[in-house]
Amino acid sequence: MNTATPSVAQERRYNHQPPSLYVVNAFYDWLVEVSADLAQAVVRDAAAVDAARRHAIAQLLAVESRLLDQGAGAHAAYEHWLTLYAEECAYWIPADSPAPDPRQTISLEFHDRRRLLDRVVRLGTGLAFSQLPASRTARQWSGLEVWSSPGRTDEWRARYSFTLVESRAGHSRVLAGWNGFVLRQIGDRLRIVLKQINLIDNQNPQGNNSFFL
Amino acid sequence: MRTTNQRSTLPVPPVAPDPWDDLVQEDRVHRRVYTDENIFAREMNNVFAATWVYVAHESEIPEPNDFKLAWLGTRDVIVTRDEESVVRVFSNRCSHRGASVCREQRGNASQFTCPYHGWRFDNRGQLFGIPGKNAYGPTFKARDMHLSRPAQVASYRGFVFATLNPDAPPLVKHLGNAARYMDAWIDYNGGAENLVLAGTQLFRLACNWKLIWDNAGDGYHVPFSHQSLLVMTHARYGGGDMTYFAEADRSKMSNSALDNGHTAIDQRAEMHAESAWQQQRPQPGREPYQDYVAATYGEQAKRVLDTTVGAGMNINIFPNLALIGNQVQVLQPTAVGETVMHWYATRRKDVDAQVNTMRLRTQEDFPVMGEMDDAANFEECQRGLFNHPEDEWVDMSRHYETGKDVAAEDGIIRGLVTTDLHMRNYYAQWKRLMQANPTLCLARGKL
Ligand code: FES
Ligand SMILES: [Fe+2]
């Protein structure tokens, strides 16, 4: 499952693969800036991103949520899901709105790539009792907006509103909110650098969210 | 008939026919204790009002006029720091018709205006403004209409407690020998002046609050309930955190029965045997952080890394405050079969920003990868207890008959870590409280 290609020297130095070398102050500074931009109440120029790029991003985000819906029935879907993410990525569920600086305040979840791998492997053990039975989910989202990251030609930001219906053990519930994304062209692939999940009730008590939102 | 500091004695709903000795036996508890609404109603008075209940940490209201909402069981209170920096606790229940006067979770305000008819209260709960006051007569004006206050409020090293029971012993006496465990935990975190709560994760669980509390001192469940985490950690990293629970009763961990129903699990001898940091599952940014600490702290580096990840103690202050790792967990019972869990992160004023960031990243690991599995089991227990009235008993007899719970030199009874001593100890206190007929008072007089 390790996606890094460790040299012998790296193996010796880092016990926990892949090492999390990118989650440093500069990364947090960037997250705080991006987070504020994603949440801005502004009118953006819809024509600023060309139709082909916009379509590619919409397609990627559709696959992202569809693979998560499939994870409950087929664990392999999570492994495909992870390939959509950049090596240096973050999956972040703030515990407040607007999202506070994650260096100051606890988040509901804050994962780097390694912890996403941990969670995928944990769900695959068949022993994660909060997911026995597994949550089946159906995600709907709409209102996709896409704009360019300031000063970059290889990176875009996006957001949409979602509802997520979960059914588990005979009970259904609805989660809702908006997701913010950063997407970057890396080599010949467009990949997700950040997924920020902003639940409308993130200040209120949560239920069993041990699947991926 | 004006009385200052007027007190009203609250009626306690009778649950008279319940023979408490039958419901709570030495080594088992009746299911009704978890499922009966009348017992829950009595708990809200006899446990969550008649004994000291944790309401807030002083770091949540650091400045004058800061406030936050809190709870004594199902009673809503406002905790403030008044203009003189005195911590105040009063009911969030308007003295006019009962509406909540404050509807924001936290903030800064010198006064609260009730949204219904506009009555105004200062941040000590004192009424000072009634719109159209001329319409009220002398009988009304002779009544104390300030927001009501618990009979006692006290703070222990930043942890604020309240009780409606004027006869409750002083807080330090109530904490008893648990205070020395709290001291160890607080000092490990830089002392009372440096500990700051840093946000909260809230969870709603469909179970009685005691199913969560039972688990707070349960050193038995770890290799089973958290097997997914242990298997994953082993598969990915060759082992790590909590591995020492596999043969828990051969470990050096202990489980202590403290005064007045409090308990503690001490994992330090295992978790900190070599390095808590080394055992910790990897956090985002772990490697650069480790390099930073090594470069910055020299000989102190190991200590800084170890304090980043957790105190190695689970300290349970009955009935609703648990110090777990570096976190503060608070239980808020909302109904017989529903509980809100408040899980506060902590940071320290005396360490640098990188250390505090890594504390948060460490604290975000367990809730989604461990606590949710616990919660699923608690909810299944609640269903089982509710749906099977003929199956009456909940067992707490582990190590009851093995002679392994013994008094140590310091007079504290300690057992192996998987003992049910925690449950037996707190249930003895629970029964004492439920059998009692406490006086519950609210003060409404002028301060
Ligand atoms: S209920 Fe508060 S002013 Fe009427
Ligand atoms: Fe647990």
Side-chain angles (χ1 to χ4, degrees), chain A residues 27-48:
Chain A
F27 185 75
Y28 284 114
D29 287 340
W30 176 79
L31 277 180
V32 168
E33 183 269 307
V34 168
S35 177
D37 181 36
L38 291 168
Q40 270 196 91
V42 291
V43 178
R44 298 188 179 89
D45 178 7

Side-chain angles (χ1 to χ4, degrees), chain B residues 17 31 72 83 105 159 163 212 244 258 277 289 315 319 366 375 408:
Chain B
R31 60 175 279 284
L72 282 103
E83 271 149 31
Q105 292 300 314
F159 291 82
T163 176
I212 307 173
Y244 46 80
L258 306 172
W277 173 259
Y289 173 71
I315 303 164
F366 193 74

Side-chain angles (χ1 to χ4, degrees), chain B residues 11 67 108 127 155 206 228 274 292 365:
Chain B
F67 71 86
N108 185 279
L127 176 66
S155 180
S228 66
E274 283 170 21
Y292 165 80
D365 164 282

Side-chain angles (χ1 to χ4, degrees), chain B residues 405-426:
Chain B
D405 294 346
V406 288
E409 274 177 15
D410 55 8
I412 292 173
I413 295 175
R414 289 202 176 79
L416 299 174
V417 74
T418 75
T419 181
D420 285 333
L421 179 62
H422 159 80
M423 281 179 77
R424 294 193 289 270
N425 189 52
Y426 97 70

Side-chain angles (χ1 to χ4, degrees), chain B residues 170-243:
Chain B
L171 177 60
V172 276
K173 190 142 182 283
H174 166 75
L175 294 173
N177 55 15
R180 74 177 84 146
Y181 280 85
M182 283 183 76
D183 287 342
W185 189 89
I186 292 165
D187 294 340
Y188 183 85
N189 281 303
E193 63 284 9
N194 288 314
L195 184 70
V196 180
L197 299 197
T200 174
Q201 298 174 322
L202 301 177
F203 300 103
R204 189 186 307 282
L205 280 65
C207 69
N208 185 266
W209 67 275
K210 294 189 295 303
L211 280 166
I212 307 173
W213 200 253
D214 292 348
N215 181 262
D218 184 325
Y220 184 29
H221 77 292
V222 175
F224 314 104
S225 292
H226 302 303
Q227 204 174 344
S228 66
L229 201 41
L230 292 163
V231 167
M232 178 279 284
T233 309
H234 194 266
R236 281 183 46 72
Y237 311 117
D241 185 41
M242 305 193 307
T243 310

Side-chain angles (χ1 to χ4, degrees), chain A residues 13 114-115 118 122 130, chain B residues 236-237 287 291 361 373:
Chain A
R13 175 150 181 239
R114 180 167 57 197
R115 201 178 262 167
D118 289 350
R122 189 185 91 87
S130 54
Chain B
R236 281 183 46 72
Y237 311 117
E287 289 82 0
D291 292 348
R361 294 298 85 81
D373 295 330

Side-chain angles (χ1 to χ4, degrees), chain B residues 149-166:
Chain B
R149 305 183 295 276
Q152 300 190 64
V153 175
S155 180
Y156 184 77
R157 300 192 69 189
F159 291 82
V160 182
F161 295 75
T163 176
L164 270 56
N165 185 353

Side-chain angles (χ1 to χ4, degrees), chain A residues 1-2 13-25 28 95-96 101-115 117-119 121-123 125 127-131 168-169 171 202-211, chain B residues 105 198-205 224-229 231-232 235-237 239 278 280-288 291 327 340 343 345 347 353-354 356-357 360-365 367-370 372-373 376-377 379-380 383:
Chain A
M1 291 286 298
N2 292 342
R13 175 150 181 239
Y14 300 119
N15 300 325
H16 303 100
Q17 293 292 333
S20 183
L21 304 176
Y22 62 98
V23 186
V24 295
N25 244 327
Y28 284 114
D96 208 344
D101 186 332
R103 290 169 290 198
Q104 304 292 328
T105 303
I106 193 114
S107 302
L108 288 169
E109 298 184 27
F110 187 102
H111 307 316
D112 59 353
R113 182 174 194 87
R114 180 167 57 197
R115 201 178 262 167
L117 282 159
D118 289 350
R119 289 198 52 200
V121 171
R122 189 185 91 87
L123 291 173
T125 61
L127 299 163
F129 301 115
S130 54
Q131 283 300 308
R168 177 175 180 270
H171 296 279
N202 58 14
Q203 296 145 319
N204 287 299
Q206 296 295 312
N208 175 1
N209 294 349
S210 56
F211 53 97
Chain B
Q105 292 300 314
T200 174
Q201 298 174 322
L202 301 177
F203 300 103
R204 189 186 307 282
L205 280 65
F224 314 104
S225 292
H226 302 303
Q227 204 174 344
S228 66
L229 201 41
V231 167
M232 178 279 284
R236 281 183 46 72
Y237 311 117
Q278 289 304 333
Q280 182 62 41
R281 273 181 304 285
Q283 315 90 327
R286 178 182 174 95
E287 289 82 0
D291 292 348
Q327 284 144 289
V340 174
W343 210 344
R347 56 192 170 83
Q354 281 87 341
N356 279 325
T357 299
L360 296 174
R361 294 298 85 81
T362 307
Q363 293 169 36
E364 284 150 357
D365 164 282
V368 72
M369 292 203 285
M372 287 300 103
D373 295 330
N377 281 321
E379 292 181 344
E380 290 299 313
R383 264 171 23 87

